[in-house]
Amino acid sequence: MDVNRIQKLHGVQQTSQQTGVRTQGGAGTNNFQELLRAGAKEGLNFSKHAAKRLDERGIHMDNTLMDNLEHVVEEARKKGARDVAVIGSQGIFIVNVPNNVVVTTMTQNDLKDKIFTNIDSAVFM
């Protein structure tokens, strides 16, 4: 998947200029379920907050990392995960699985004395 490819979906997605990843936010849609189904087919989106954190923390998203992240999130979905912490060498990604949205990111260095709340699963990538 090309993280720089952006597809407009009912006016909801936009591109982060700093990171070039898809972000989610903005106007609503009349058929929210259709939006969620379409988003699931396209892969993961990044919230504005997560896209900002990628830039601030110097986490570089490439096709390999995005593919790996999408794969582990799909595996977590099969196990019934809803909010998962994906922990890898490039960083930690907190993902809302039903909505296919990365809500925040951090580096391994940011983990010192950090506590994860509101997650139900953790996956090592």
Side-chain angles (χ1 to χ4, degrees):
M1 166 177 274
D2 182 3
V3 296
N4 294 320
R5 185 188 74 210
I6 308 303
Q7 294 184 353
K8 190 98 166 143
L9 181 62
H10 300 290
V12 178
Q13 293 179 341
Q14 62 188 31
T15 304
S16 167
Q17 292 178 342
Q18 295 88 2
T19 61
V21 297
R22 288 186 306 271
T23 60
Q24 191 169 28
T29 180
N30 291 335
N31 191 342
F32 188 67
Q33 290 299 326
E34 179 183 319
L35 175 65
L36 290 178
R37 280 193 299 274
K41 292 176 187 172
E42 287 186 25
L44 290 176
N45 295 301
F46 285 73
S47 69
K48 288 180 182 182
H49 174 82
K52 182 178 177 183
R53 294 297 179 256
L54 282 174
D55 186 50
E56 289 175 352
R57 294 172 173 156
I59 300 171
H60 176 70
M61 290 297 298
D62 60 16
N63 289 342
T64 302
L65 177 55
M66 189 66 161
D67 288 344
N68 290 341
L69 188 57
E70 288 176 341
H71 175 74
V72 298
V73 169
E74 186 56 36
E75 292 301 311
R77 181 187 324 280
K78 290 176 185 176
K79 300 279 186 178
R82 296 188 49 78
D83 294 292
V84 64
V86 179
I87 304 165
S89 61
Q90 299 91 340
I92 295 91
F93 303 87
I94 307 299
V95 181
N96 178 275
V97 176
N99 295 325
N100 266 1
V101 176
V102 177
V103 295
T104 194
T105 63
M106 61 191 71
T107 65
Q108 295 287 347
N109 293 337
D110 296 323
L111 274 182
K112 189 176 181 181
D113 299 326
K114 298 292 181 184
I115 297 172
F116 294 114
T117 59
N118 297 325
I119 65 165
D120 60 24
S121 305
V123 178
F124 292 95
M125 179 171 60

